[in-house]
Amino acid sequence: MRLRFPMKPAVLPFLVVFLVFLSQFAVGIRNIPGRIAGFDIGQFVEAPEYRNGKECASQSSNRENFVSSCDPSLVHVAMTLDSEYLRGSIAAVHSVLRHASCPENVFFHFIAAEFDPASPRVLSRLVRSTFPSLSFKVYIFREDTVINLISSSIRQALESPLNYARNYLGDILDRCVDRVIYLDSDIIVVDDITKLWNTTLTGSRVIGAPEYCHANFTKYFTSSFWSDPGLPGSFSGRKPCYFNTGVMVMDLVRWREGRYRGKIETWMQIQKKRRIYDLGSLPPFLLVFAGDVEAIDHKWNQHGLGGDNVRGSCRSLHKGPVSLLHWSGKGKPWVRLDEKRPCPLDHLWEPYDLYEHKIDRAKDQALLGFSSLSELTEDSSFL
Ligand SMILES: *[C@@H]1O[C@H](CO)[C@@H](O)[C@H](O)[C@H]1NC(C)=O
Ligand SMILES: *[C@@H]1O[C@H](CO)[C@@H](O)[C@H](O)[C@H]1NC(C)=O
């Protein structure tokens, strides 16, 4: 079934901007012969068109209807875009639009890896054909930006360079973007994203995220960290709590001014020399921000739905309301649905899926061996 909705003429061809900005972070499109041709990213049906209601602040789009990412009425969302998690990203975008009070005011910033097997160009074409009137940009993430900083972690998926893209949003996104919501690709939003966007970051706080102060914070770092005479002192003056970096509201002005990218990289360099944690991109965020995070309502990150990493068991929701579901952990709803062994909550993800040929795809996905983008403890006791 192909959904067809009346559409404006193709007025936004230039919204897909392959940005060549800081040469350090972006490069022009490179074709990687052989890899593109052989990689099937599958087919997605066109999403229904979601339009602004009358109550929405009108965008100051110009005659060509070009929505500039600098428009102050926009809600900015950053996500990674890669062939492996594409189906999740597409469903996530769909869910944001479906529940937004003003869907046309949401601007997506997609970060694609330079060497993705599907190429950033192919990925952005696919986003355009699935969401013809979406305002978005695709930025190219140069993997060599982080490759030398990545240490091996307990789960291979956590070593993917794109996992670290969130550290670089302050550099990658246009300077005029002063706030962004970062979202993992294994989520769906079931509430108005503007509510999350409107979060106040009090004092000088740089990021907002749900905090989990009952989680055992000790286990996110190795004994070599805790036994060091100096390192644990970095938490002095704050009460560090675990937070999940899959959903964050980020003040990019404060981020850039405070040079937080450098602070995170410093910890990654320490990790290279001596192992102070076992996970991938999460611990440096905890080291820099834990205890100094604006605590957002837990409903904005009902995480852990991917289930137990070892046993693949199903998880249930945490108590309370739900605005965002997050399949962090090893299992992904699209894989389990295709394999006909879904967890009960996976059926909540299904209505947002826009993938075609779901049956054929099941085999391919099993071969790809999905695992989590976002990080969770391997211990199932809490999450
Ligand atoms: C978000 O904040 C804007 C500006 O203050 C306000 O107009 C809008 O109603 C708020 N939206 C929501 C959903 O809270
Ligand atoms: C927290 O985890 C550490 C390391 O795994 C463990 O030694 C400690 O007993 C735990 N604390 C609590 C309160 O569970």
Side-chain angles (χ1 to χ4, degrees), residues 3-9 46 48-49 51 133:
L3 298 168
R4 276 287 175 198
F5 287 77
M7 225 163 328
K8 287 184 300 190
E46 192 177 309
E49 220 189 6
R51 284 295 184 198
S133 49

Side-chain angles (χ1 to χ4, degrees), residues 207-265:
I207 64 173
E211 278 189 311
Y212 304 87
C213 292
H214 297 299
N216 184 348
F217 194 78
T218 313
K219 67 186 178 192
Y220 293 99
F221 301 94
T222 60
S223 53
S224 114
F225 173 83
W226 292 114
S227 61
D228 186 272
L231 297 179
S234 55
F235 289 120
S236 68
R238 36 184 182 138
K239 185 193 176 299
C241 293
Y242 168 80
F243 64 94
N244 180 284
T245 52
V247 179
M248 294 187 282
V249 177
M250 309 169 82
D251 183 319
L252 293 181
V253 175
R254 290 177 190 166
W255 179 283
R256 291 174 187 125
E257 281 172 358
R259 302 178 183 278
Y260 284 95
R261 178 192 116 206
K263 290 178 181 167
I264 286 173
E265 285 182 340

Side-chain angles (χ1 to χ4, degrees), residues 101 192 194-195 197-198:
S101 52
D192 186 357
T194 318
K195 294 181 192 163
W197 177 255
N198 278 2

